[in-house]
Amino acid sequence: MSESLTNFCKMPLKIFFWAFLLKLALSASDHFTYNGFKGVNLSLDGLAGITSEGLLRLTNSTMHEQGHAFFPVPLRFKRSPANNVISFSTTFVFAIFPEHPMLGSAGFTFVLSPSKDLTKASPNYFLGLVNPTNNGNASNHILAVEFDTWYSPEAKDINNNHVGIDINSFISNQSTSAGFTSDYDGKFQNLILLSGKAMQVWIEYDEINMQFNVTLAPLWTPKPKIALLSSTINLSGIILDNMYVGFTAAVGTSYSYHYILGWSFKIDGKAPELNLSNLPPLPQTSTSFKKNQKILSLWLPLALSVFVLITAAAVLVTAAKKKKFSELHEDWELDFESYRFPYKQLYTATRGFKDEYLLGIGGFGRVYRGVLPASKVEVAVKRVSHESKQGMREFVAEIVSLGKLRHKNLVQLLGYCRRKGELLLVYEYMPNGSLEKFLFSETKQTLDWSLRLQIIKGVAYGLQYLHEGWDQVVIHRDIKASNVLLDGDMNGRLGDFGLARLYDHGMAPQTTNVVGTLGFLAPELARACKVTTSSDVFAFGAFLLEVVCGRRAIEPNKQEMEQVLVDWVFTNWKMGTLYETKDPRLGKDYALEELDLILKLGLFCSHPLPSARPSMRQVTQILNGDALLPPLLPYQCHFSDIDSEVNKGASSFVAIDRTTLKHFTY
Ligand SMILES: *[C@@H]1O[C@H](CO)[C@@H](O)[C@H](O)[C@H]1NC(C)=O
Ligand SMILES: *[C@@H]1O[C@H](CO)[C@@H](O)[C@H](O)[C@H]1NC(C)=O
Ligand SMILES: *[C@@H]1O[C@H](CO)[C@@H](O)[C@H](O)[C@H]1NC(C)=O
Ligand SMILES: *[C@@H]1O[C@H](CO)[C@@H](O)[C@H](O)[C@H]1NC(C)=O
Ligand SMILES: *[C@@H]1O[C@H](CO)[C@@H](O)[C@H](O)[C@H]1NC(C)=O
Ligand SMILES: *[C@@H]1O[C@H](CO)[C@@H](O)[C@H](O)[C@H]1NC(C)=O
Ligand SMILES: *[C@@H]1O[C@H](CO)[C@@H](O)[C@H](O)[C@H]1NC(C)=O
């Protein structure tokens, strides 16, 4: 306080004069404070709404949509058009509740925009801010701070839990992992944006130093002295005289509820403090969003005698240790004992699930690399969080039975461990990681043609084995380049099979969406949710095209005609320009007849009619030259054809049946 006072006194008189004039010029709406939004007049659109408790909800459980909320009148950010942007400051409290405890959706932003109509923006990673056409255009005049819970390579994201400054684009100018520097010990503490916990944000612009700061902290923590992001930007060219202030939020393939609990804003001064005890309560959800690792912090009064302290600490440490490694065991699990890993072993293997050991974050949870203490075997440990016990027995039975599947093109499941609220799955470690990185990353060396063929064949064998090689038909349900891992010899191996079943066992909250990934979903799946081997073949077709064309099955920022890979390749085939779809990075390194075969096989597999697709057996025969690819015919297909097929033919495929699994003997 005293420091700012002395600074204040050093300011030239001119500023006082300007400040005085400004005070006169600005209307009463140069600041506002909302401790909750009950009855507040905001301009809302899309999924945004104000709940009966007074929370500003930016999104709800609708997918691939967006929401916007703006203060209804524009605020004046310049004293005159030629002038610099006046200092401003805002603070707000937010909380994000994801559909799946570890899986984000897209995120939200705090935004300054010349218009309060951003309905033409796109959802998903466009964050409801911009769209593929206007992204990056300097005439947007948009300044935003993004709170992003989804890793989008398209947005050059650093991870799936970051804060960034965005100028006219969804690609951040500057970004950093969410967290704060503690005033207490100067250490950086990570925060998980989608933890469902309320957090406070402070955003400030100082016109003299042109410094733009963003600070984040858990609720009830005073504003940390060190900002999370601090950037020197001349906002004059970006911000116009009159701008709307508000929030945008977007959801993708899974949803999150984005809530704002309170918000204050001020031009030319510090945003009024929020009264945190007046904020509306967060909703009670059926799934609690507890942190996985309970960190026991002990605050013992200093007055306690040393003796009591030591004794108590010793007792508590033992208890904490016990709790730290505690597991969940039930009688029915005795059958699976040989597949079980002690939690302590996995904890040691991954050095306590340290971030450095994080291999990636997939649709079902985080995956860590580890070295088993005794055997020194390298493993990958996937932490899948779940809250309900319902269906757990069937699921574990299924996972264990899938662990009995052995094939050189499948990622071997080695075992599991159960704790309160989470399931840990232990897999063989794949040193070369995911195929996706090689195909789509600009930094990684690209794969040559013969390696691509080898990987395609391997995945075909692996999938054929799942479909035919075992007593039960196993449907993968989520085939795509990111689910194909590469072993030490660069063989393609299918991972994550069986996990889609999590959804069927009530472990994930009730959803009406089909499990799978956009761009790989067979039309009959989207229509009737009928999962068959033939819907896997459809996804395999899209996967073949991904490998040959070196792009993702869906790329929303491409032109409309090119967005869906399968459609784009099909159109090119009809126009006689099929080969132009190949990955430009292949150069001249390919055999034309092989390229022709794989592209056409991809289209054949992704035929809209399930009955027109080959089986995986036929696919491997074609790949080996033991059978000829049937001539591809131009087709035109209506959804009614698909419906009638779904109703008659498709049910002859067998899906894993929970009742049959119960009869397995182990
Ligand atoms: C909300 O504010 C806008 C802008 O001041 C005004 O036009 C509108 O009538 C207000 N709506 C309500 C319901 O007060
Ligand atoms: C989400 O909110 C929008 C707008 O308020 C509403 O139309 C829609 O029905 C809501 N969806 C769900 C699933 O609640
Ligand atoms: C940017 O947007 C303006 C106005 O919409 C448009 O005229 C211009 O062509 C756009 N520029 C680019 C590079 O797309
Ligand atoms: C950063 O911001 C400027 C506008 O000040 C913009 O022109 C530029 O493209 C941005 N850079 C990146 C990497 O997004
Ligand atoms: C912005 O953050 C930096 C670094 O934490 C700090 O030195 C500076 O004083 C801050 N500026 C404002 C206006 O808060
Ligand atoms: C900031 O940018 C504006 C134009 O965009 C320019 O007129 C002004 O001189 C710049 N201010 C500083 C301090 O560089
Ligand atoms: C915050 O709100 C509570 C409850 O309404 C009230 O008792 C308290 O005085 C308020 N605090 C401030 C600083 O306004």
Side-chain angles (χ1 to χ4, degrees), residues 539-553:
F540 179 76
F543 161 75
L544 287 188
L545 300 182
E546 276 195 313
V547 177
V548 178
C549 307
R551 52 154 284 191
R552 291 169 196 279

Side-chain angles (χ1 to χ4, degrees), residues 118-133:
L118 289 183
T119 49
K120 292 222 164 50
S122 301
N124 304 321
Y125 53 79
F126 293 99
L127 297 168
L129 203 60
V130 288
N131 60 38
T133 317

Side-chain angles (χ1 to χ4, degrees), residues 204 206 211 213 223 225-227 230:
E204 289 150 322
D206 169 34
Q211 200 159 37
N213 280 5
K223 184 185 155 203
K225 287 201 180 70
I226 298 177
S230 179

Side-chain angles (χ1 to χ4, degrees), residues 353 362-368 380-384 422-427 483 495-496 499:
F353 298 97
F364 297 95
R366 287 167 189 263
V367 189
Y368 294 84
V381 183
K382 177 169 275 193
R383 304 184 76 155
V384 182
E422 81 179 323
L423 179 71
L424 296 102
L425 299 172
V426 185
Y427 291 95
N483 272 343
D496 259 3
L499 279 195

Side-chain angles (χ1 to χ4, degrees), residues 82-102:
N83 257 310
N84 285 340
V85 170
I86 309 168
S87 298
F88 60 86
S89 149
T90 187
T91 181
F92 57 88
V93 174
F94 75 91
I96 305 175
F97 288 84
E99 175 186 11
H100 306 297
M102 284 185 171

Side-chain angles (χ1 to χ4, degrees), residues 45-50 57-63 66 257:
D45 67 57
L47 303 181
I50 292 173
R57 185 204 65 218
L58 298 171
T59 58
N60 60 15
S61 57
T62 312
M63 271 170 264
Q66 52 184 329
Y257 288 90

